[in-house]
Structure formats: C-alpha cells, structure tokens
Amino acid sequence: MSMIKVAPSILSADFTKIYDAVKMLEASRADYIHCDVMDGVFVPNITFGQKMVRDLRIHTSLPLDVHLMIVEPERYVEEFAEAGADIITFHAEAAMHLDRVIQLVKKTGKKCGVSLNPHTPLDVLEYVLDQIDMVLLMSVNPGFGAQSFIPYSLKKAQELKKMKESRGLAFDIEMDGGIDDKNVRSIVEAGVNVIVSGNTIFKAKDPQDMISRLILEK
Ligand code: DX5
Ligand code: ZN
C-alpha cells in the first residue's frame, strides 16, 4: 500500500454519471471518495447533502471522506454519520465550539477531521490536536473546484508536520485545492499524506492513471 492516500473529489464528476465515476474510482488506486458538501452560506456555492452520501454508500465500499463546508456543522454531524460517512471533517471557522463538535463527531464512532481555510492559523488546533484523526488544510479558498493552488499552503503543511512530530501524534494531514501531478511532490515533501483532487483527476484523459501519478507511483 502506498504511504500517500488519494481522495478524488466527486464534485468534479458529471453529476448525471456519478455511478460510472464511482465504479471508475473503485477500479483505480483511490483510497477515499471525497464528498464536498457546500451550503451556500459558509461558502458561496451549493453542492449536495446527506442523500448523495447515502446513495454513494449503497454503491461503494470505498471510505467516504465527507468535507462539510457548512455553517453550524453540529446540526448535521449525526445525519452524515447515519448516511454512511467514514470521515467527517468540518471547518474550525464554522464551529463556535470546536471542542464540542469534535466530541460530537467522535461520539458517532466516525473519524474526525478539522479543516482550516488558507488564512486560518494553526494555533486554533493547539489544544485539540491530540483528539482529531485528520487536519484538512485548504490550499484554495473553499467553494469551487479547479482553482489555483495557494503557495503559502506548503509552509503551513511544514509547520503542521513539525507540530505533529514534536508531539508524537499520528493524525493525517490532508490538503485540498488546486493539486495536480506537477505540484503534488512538493506538497507531499511538506508533510501532506492525503491528497484531495477534483479537476485534475476528472478532466484527465485517463483519470485512473492520473490517480496513480498523484500517489507518485505507477
Ligand atoms: C473546494 C473543495 C475541493 C475542490 C477540489 O472548496 O473543497 O475539494 O473541489 O477540487 P480541485 O482539485 O479541482 O481544486
Ligand atoms: Zn474538499
């Protein structure tokens, strides 16, 4: 198994052909299916909700990596857990009581991720870092696929990796936004071990080959 995990974002698939996309991913080296839930309030865009997760769950055994870009995530954590999410990630900026929402996710028995917008300092995680399974660093401003990678995200990943190592923790570091087969190496070198990718994979001539390239293996 590869050290690097790849989480293709289903948001970049043709929504009228989701089933085909899922089967394509199952036959690839994808580790997760990344589900971008947007509410039109936390971010300017609206995508899909619990029903998409529930329907995906019926058709795949790949872990569902649910990225909630919604305000008041505590209102929906249980519903996404019941729908079949495996990892539930919410934004620190959207949670008034970050610790409480972490506990809520953990109570569902699902893995808990916390996401930070590009500008949000790592400090907000200082006291909760040992309680979470994954940190999702946004490398674009959330809301849309196919945006350009923000270069300072690399420094942020390096700093997070240092925090992780100095505390002897084992959480995953996921990065999301503007990742392609050209910048992925620098991202992995900065300490990221879970790569989200939407546009690069779904617009590729051979999406399965692109997935292999993103884990830096053939
Ligand atoms: C952005 C989403 C991302 C995005 C990734 O708000 O969270 O998951 O769709 O897509 P690409 O790889 O196209 O930037
Ligand atoms: Zn995402």
Side-chain angles (χ1 to χ4, degrees):
M1 214 176 69
S2 166
M3 297 254 299
I4 302 160
K5 293 191 169 86
V6 64
S9 171
I10 202 80
L11 177 61
S12 295
D14 178 340
F15 279 13
T16 64
K17 296 183 184 131
I18 294 281
Y19 181 83
D20 298 341
V22 168
K23 294 301 141 185
M24 178 279 283
L25 294 177
E26 283 199 329
S28 79
R29 296 184 64 186
D31 295 281
Y32 301 147
I33 296 181
H34 185 82
C35 304
D36 285 307
V37 177
M38 304 188 191
D39 67 354
V41 181
F42 181 69
V43 287
N45 195 12
I46 299 176
T47 55
F48 51 76
Q50 306 88 311
K51 184 167 190 299
M52 176 70 92
V53 173
R54 201 177 309 127
D55 290 356
L56 287 170
R57 182 74 298 155
I58 295 168
H59 295 293
T60 185
S61 53
L62 280 173
L64 299 174
D65 175 31
V66 175
H67 178 194
L68 300 178
M69 285 160 277
I70 64 174
V71 295
E72 300 177 22
E74 61 278 7
R75 292 174 59 196
Y76 294 102
V77 162
E78 279 141 330
E79 284 186 46
F80 279 97
E82 278 158 26
D86 295 283
I87 308 168
I88 299 180
T89 299
F90 62 94
H91 272 258
E93 302 86 357
M96 184 78 80
H97 302 282
L98 180 61
D99 184 277
R100 179 177 285 149
V101 188
I102 292 169
Q103 303 317 322
L104 185 62
V105 174
K106 291 174 81 169
K107 220 172 107 190
T108 67
K110 307 299 181 173
K111 292 219 156 125
C112 180
V114 177
S115 183
L116 302 181
N117 283 332
H119 76 282
T120 302
L122 295 170
D123 307 19
V124 296
L125 301 177
E126 172 83 32
Y127 297 103
V128 293
L129 210 47
D130 59 342
Q131 300 184 52
I132 61 189
D133 299 293
M134 185 165 83
V135 177
L136 196 187
L137 297 177
M138 290 306 304
S139 43
V140 298
N141 289 294
F144 304 95
Q147 302 184 78
S148 322
F149 183 82
I150 297 176
Y152 67 69
S153 312
L154 289 177
K155 185 168 174 253
K156 203 169 170 186
Q158 285 159 3
E159 282 170 15
L160 180 60
K161 191 189 179 205
K162 266 190 224 148
M163 285 168 79
K164 173 176 160 173
E165 284 173 353
S166 69
R167 297 172 191 211
L169 296 172
F171 59 84
D172 287 313
I173 303 179
E174 183 174 53
M175 189 160 271
D176 185 0
I179 304 179
D180 59 28
D181 54 337
K182 291 169 204 75
N183 60 17
V184 68
R185 189 171 292 277
S186 59
I187 291 164
V188 167
E189 281 168 5
V192 172
N193 70 309
V194 185
I195 299 291
V196 177
S197 174
N199 191 59
T200 297
I201 291 172
F202 285 94
K203 296 288 173 296
K205 271 205 194 85
D206 184 344
Q208 293 173 331
D209 177 62
M210 183 54 76
I211 289 167
S212 302
R213 283 163 184 263
L214 289 173
I215 56 178
L216 303 172
E217 283 174 30
K218 266 292 175 184

